[in-house]
Amino acid sequence: MILNTTNSHFCSKFRNVNHSLPLPAFRATDSMGLIWSRNASSKSFESGFSLKVKGSEQLNHKSAHVFSQHAEEIVIEDEAAVMSETAPSLKIIPGLPSPLGVSETDNGINFALFSQHATSVTLCLSLPDRDINASTNDGTIELKLDPCANKTGDIWHICVQELPRSNVIYGYKIDGPQSWHQGHRFDNSVVLIDPYAKLIEGRRVFGDSTNRFSKLYGTYDFSSLPFDWGDNYAQPNIPENDLVIYEMNVRAFTADKSSGLEQNIRGSYRGVVDKIPHLLELGVNAVELLPVFEFDEFEFQRRANPRDHMINTWGYSTINFFAPMTRYASAGGGPIVASQEFKEMVKALHLAGIEVILDVVYNHTNEADDKNPYTTSFRGIDNKIYYMVDGEGQLLNFSGCGNTLNCNHPVVMELILDSLRHWVTEYHVDGFRFDLASVLCRGTDGSPLDAPPLIRAIAKDSILSKCKIIAEPWDCGGLYLVGKFPNWDRWAEWNGMYRDDIRRFIKGDIGMKGKFATRVAGSADLYKVNKRKPYHGVNFVIAHDGFTLYDLVSYNYKHNDANGENGNDGSNDNFSWNCGYEGETSDVNIKALRFRQMKNFHLALMVSQGVPMMLMGDEYGHTRNGNNNSYGHDTAINHFLWGQLDARKNDCFRFFAEVIKFRQKNQVFKQEYFIGNNEITWHEDNWDNYESKFIAFTLHDSDQGDIYLAFNAHSYFVKVPIPSPPQKRSWFRVVDTNLETPNDIIPEGVSGIGDTYNVAPYSSILLQAKL
């Protein structure tokens, strides 16, 4: 298997290093902290809230309510300690415990943070009148919260009046028990990112090595106008069985100069918008975006290691679950621009009839392991709550990345649900693909659960249940749940068995005919249970990790030397075949065979029952030169090469696009229910022949005409009898992958099909019965 027991990507495991910061460095002292204490004066209590700041007069504040909640806030009289004389005077009240994160109330800006085990919480602020690239301490403020006044249950909270409504940078310093054996990892020297921060500020240009060690902080925006989705805007709401998914990376799609875009637009959300015509020409109607949550592309470079030459270009190392990747904004525009342009991208895709599915990583974070930790948020806020730990307080690792998010803890579960709802309500995304989703099926001790609360909650949620929800149903701890993922008849799955069985049959492995038939017919052995449908299986031959389609037919072995790990990374089980020569060759016969095999794989994928997914770049034959684990290359290895697309526009791309469009036009490939004997006829009486590598079948469709398909994985021609067409119809050849362009696919079909057809070695045909 390729993805079932090994990690589908590699993650950072590097120690936090103290370097100069591009943003204001928060003070390490507590001299600026506001210490809350109860004042016994009943007169002061009746008159309101008392705050003493060095060099200022006493400030009085009355009760207030939250705009959105219409809830009264109880104001308690407290006395504040001395603030730094260089800091601006701020009016402060205890605030509200809900909602978590930053919110705007009648009283000001409210900050609320969960930490069950913290003994000390300090809010750190930097106001927006600073140069974004400044590295001094000027203008920073630290407000130390008193647990008697600023804590409700396990929520620490404070409301700051007269703060700017946007561009304030903030974080928290948190202290608590130092008992590692109990699972605690508190460090009050680190300024931590709020888990509920909606925007992240920091380095603004992707791959800007001059600031590669800069830190990231939370920020907020209450001053921008609501995004205008438009009066005629509507989400596509495409039925699941009609989906054709295109897995892609936002940056890699347009980062290459060959995209023809201006340099400050390449690799951005805006770049995707400019290339929507390509998606429409290809015929896909959904994009599955590799992670777009905030991540640090320089995480591999925090210490000397074999991977310190690479840049994380896939993004499977989440820093924050609410904020769009800041460095995908055009022209280094920053977090507010990133949020705006992400919405513009979604809107443009929706107007083109294309849905947006996000690849989300809730199984682990960027904070790595205990050997080389990189504390940015959860680890320092409450490690024992946010991560799975064993009985000795050590991190459990079912993700392959050093830590495992404690997904079914009530607090963490609510964080994940809030995050998902945020992306649906704020950004209008249509669904999610959950990376290593079997982790989400583990209890707080790591043991598998039959009915995981988080998985059920997503399936039953009033908002999320209406989305596409797709599981990658395995993890790195060996929990392989393909066909068995807890689903409540709502969850779909990446069908890893489809990938492996299709690969093995097409390349000519013996004994695969029956499995190939099962997969093409919709994998009823996996999904025909309860009320599940064929579209609960997401079929794919190629995904972001592993070989590209071109490399699948060009390499027998992985070639990962560029990764710096001596070839120890990446899967060894690829079920690939180089067609007679390893790597690039000038042999025209081998090149023709490779192209034919690519077409066979694509045709099989698009005629299979279930939801097909293809990888960005396969439509022109993108190669990674045999690298099957290219997570760290922000180069042509991963970038979409538009010049190569232009060169293959009339052969490879044309075939791929026409097959997709043929699928979309014929409902017979998109059945709502599992097909039976009335819907399919297998032209086969040789199922037990282990050596047989030929299969043929007819899909029956009285409206648009029957479809006859044959796949020959033998190295020789097979002369096959063609069944009689339905009454008053004749067979037309639509596809023969052995023919050269443009005859390999003619959507309207070519007549003159006789009683037999000579199917070439390693080729496939599709006939349609037409009037």
Side-chain angles (χ1 to χ4, degrees), residues 80-121:
V82 176
M83 288 179 60
S84 167
E85 292 187 70
T86 61
S89 298
L90 294 174
K91 302 175 183 178
I92 299 166
I93 54 177
L96 294 168
S98 179
L100 290 171
V102 181
S103 57
E104 188 175 38
T105 74
D106 279 350
N107 286 335
I109 305 299
N110 193 80
F111 298 82
L113 175 81
F114 168 88
S115 182
Q116 179 179 333
H117 296 103
T119 58
S120 172
V121 173

Side-chain angles (χ1 to χ4, degrees), residues 457-686:
I458 292 172
K460 300 295 184 180
D461 187 82
S462 60
I463 294 173
L464 303 177
S465 62
K466 298 180 176 65
C467 299
K468 276 75 177 179
I469 44 178
I470 305 167
E472 183 184 37
W474 49 79
D475 65 18
C476 294
L479 189 56
Y480 188 70
L481 296 174
V482 173
K484 298 175 289 186
F485 192 84
N487 55 80
W488 284 272
D489 300 325
R490 278 291 299 116
W491 282 80
E493 304 173 15
W494 267 23
N495 190 347
M497 290 188 182
Y498 178 96
R499 171 205 56 217
D500 297 338
D501 291 345
I502 298 297
R503 286 185 178 191
R504 295 188 63 192
F505 176 83
I506 294 293
K507 82 183 186 74
D509 283 359
I510 60 175
M512 295 305 299
K513 181 165 63 176
K515 292 182 178 180
F516 179 83
T518 299
R519 300 295 159 241
V520 171
S523 296
D525 61 326
L526 301 176
Y527 302 116
K528 192 176 182 181
V529 58
N530 297 331
K531 297 181 180 179
R532 302 196 85 183
K533 307 291 179 61
Y535 54 73
H536 286 125
V538 175
N539 300 324
F540 65 103
V541 177
I542 303 295
H544 64 276
D545 45 3
F547 283 145
T548 65
L549 185 58
Y550 178 87
D551 290 354
L552 185 70
V553 300
S554 304
Y555 295 90
N556 285 351
Y557 310 101
K558 64 185 182 183
H559 295 264
N560 294 358
D561 292 342
N563 297 354
E565 300 187 51
N566 297 317
N568 293 320
D569 66 305
S571 176
N572 296 317
D573 303 319
N574 299 293
F575 303 125
S576 62
W577 177 43
N578 64 17
C579 295
Y581 186 86
E582 187 75 357
E584 294 303 316
T585 179
S586 58
D587 188 309
V588 294
N589 292 322
I590 292 178
K591 292 170 72 172
L593 175 56
R594 289 175 177 176
F595 184 28
R596 194 155 72 245
Q597 287 288 76
M598 290 172 63
K599 291 189 285 187
N600 292 334
F601 278 119
H602 185 64
L603 180 65
L605 177 64
M606 291 300 158
V607 301
S608 296
Q609 303 298 323
V611 176
M613 183 189 77
M614 64 172 291
L615 176 66
M616 176 188 86
D618 280 348
E619 66 267 37
Y620 67 80
H622 182 83
T623 180
R624 294 175 181 157
N625 305 314
N627 192 320
N628 75 347
N629 192 33
S630 64
Y631 63 97
H633 298 285
D634 187 35
T635 66
I637 290 178
N638 282 313
H639 293 172
F640 193 102
L641 302 178
W642 295 89
Q644 292 189 17
L645 171 68
D646 291 340
R648 301 299 305 272
K649 203 68 176 288
N650 294 324
D651 50 33
C652 188
F653 175 81
R654 176 185 175 274
F655 182 88
F656 273 61
E658 292 295 351
V659 170
I660 291 172
K661 292 169 185 175
F662 189 81
R663 173 189 173 88
Q664 297 287 43
K665 291 178 182 177
N666 289 271
Q667 194 64 31
V668 70
F669 304 124
K670 305 179 291 182
Q671 298 291 338
E672 176 82 12
Y673 301 97
F674 288 95
I675 56 178
N677 293 334
N678 293 330
E679 292 81 37
I680 190 169
T681 297
W682 298 100
H683 306 296
E684 181 62 60
D685 55 8
N686 203 16

Side-chain angles (χ1 to χ4, degrees), residues 11-23:
C11 310
S12 66
K13 301 179 182 179
F14 306 116
R15 186 177 304 280
N16 182 21
V17 183
N18 184 19
H19 293 276
S20 59
L21 308 178
L23 297 178

Side-chain angles (χ1 to χ4, degrees), residues 683-738:
H683 306 296
E684 181 62 60
D685 55 8
N686 203 16
W687 291 106
D688 296 329
N689 185 349
Y690 197 67
E691 303 291 331
S692 177
K693 305 175 187 178
F694 181 91
I695 192 168
F697 56 95
T698 297
L699 295 170
H700 299 295
D701 185 347
S702 58
D703 294 328
Q704 294 175 281
D706 286 6
I707 301 289
Y708 173 89
L709 286 145
F711 291 84
N712 180 19
H714 286 290
S715 58
Y716 50 81
F717 279 88
V718 173
K719 189 173 184 179
V720 59
I722 302 298
S724 299
Q727 190 174 10
K728 297 183 180 180
R729 292 180 182 256
S730 300
W731 289 115
F732 284 68
R733 187 195 77 235
V734 177
V735 174
D736 185 338
T737 61
N738 184 55

